[in-house]
Amino acid sequence: MSTKRKLMELSINQILKSLMQKMHDFIKVLKYENESLDKQQISKITELQALKINLAGDIELYDEVMREGKFSRDDVAPKLRNEIKDVQNKLNSTLKENNSKLLKAREINKLVIDVIANLMAENERQNYGYNKEGKFISNKTVQRKTKPVNLNDQL
């Protein structure tokens, strides 16, 4: 039996409780990613992508089940209604913060790459001509001042 069918057999209150747990898990992952971004631990962000995709897919599945189900607002316990709103607001604010941090990290990464590319281009332009002895030197004979760089475009 598929996950969707199993969910369809649950009451709306059971579905919402399970959904809230998924949302809390997603919030934890996003906060961990935000902390990793703050500490510039980019490699940890790549590791979290599959988990984020799975959790987002699960949340979308719950949403789909609730839309297809014949549930009434009156079927939801009032306390649970308030709890789900709180979790939704918390998830939305955490998603906005995460998006902002990812965009900043991507922009910083782009700036760093631009600086390195400009240094490399300058290095290329300056690596030919004549040395003190009057010998012609070219890019191949001059040791580079800059080191090779790998671009992490996973952000």
Side-chain angles (χ1 to χ4, degrees), residues 104-116 151 155:
K104 285 179 188 174
R106 191 172 85 186
E107 185 62 28
I108 289 169
N109 194 20
K110 182 186 178 313
L111 291 171
V112 168
I113 295 302
D114 287 348
V115 167
I116 292 169
L151 171 63
L155 297 176

Side-chain angles (χ1 to χ4, degrees), residues 35-107:
E35 290 170 8
S36 297
L37 284 165
D38 289 340
K39 295 176 183 175
Q40 297 181 355
Q41 297 171 331
I42 304 301
S43 62
K44 290 184 179 181
I45 294 164
T46 304
E47 298 167 8
L48 297 173
Q49 295 312 302
L51 184 55
K52 284 175 43 178
I53 290 168
N54 288 337
L55 287 168
D58 289 348
I59 291 170
E60 287 176 9
L61 178 64
Y62 280 89
D63 184 54
E64 187 179 319
V65 166
M66 287 186 295
R67 278 187 278 117
E68 289 178 13
K70 298 188 182 337
F71 303 113
S72 164
R73 180 177 166 92
D74 296 334
D75 295 337
V76 180
K79 181 180 177 190
L80 190 56
R81 211 176 300 147
N82 292 332
E83 288 175 7
I84 195 78
K85 283 180 187 177
D86 290 343
V87 175
Q88 283 176 322
N89 290 336
K90 190 173 184 181
L91 177 59
N92 287 338
S93 69
T94 306
L95 279 167
K96 285 179 185 175
E97 179 184 359
N98 180 260
N99 185 51
S100 174
K101 287 179 184 286
L102 284 171
L103 289 174
K104 285 179 188 174
R106 191 172 85 186
E107 185 62 28

Side-chain angles (χ1 to χ4, degrees), residues 4-35:
K4 185 175 178 179
R5 282 190 176 197
K6 288 178 185 175
L7 288 173
M8 293 292 276
E9 294 177 1
L10 300 175
S11 73
I12 186 65
N13 291 320
Q14 291 170 316
I15 293 171
L16 288 174
K17 286 178 184 176
S18 185
L19 171 61
M20 282 194 313
Q21 184 56 54
K22 293 286 184 185
M23 293 168 78
H24 280 295
D25 292 345
F26 198 30
I27 290 167
K28 286 178 190 174
V29 171
L30 291 170
K31 284 186 174 188
Y32 181 73
E33 185 173 73
N34 289 344
E35 290 170 8

Side-chain angles (χ1 to χ4, degrees), residues 127-129 135-143:
N127 286 340
Y128 62 91
K135 287 186 174 180
F136 179 78
I137 56 173
S138 69
N139 292 339
K140 295 176 185 174
T141 59
V142 176
Q143 187 176 21

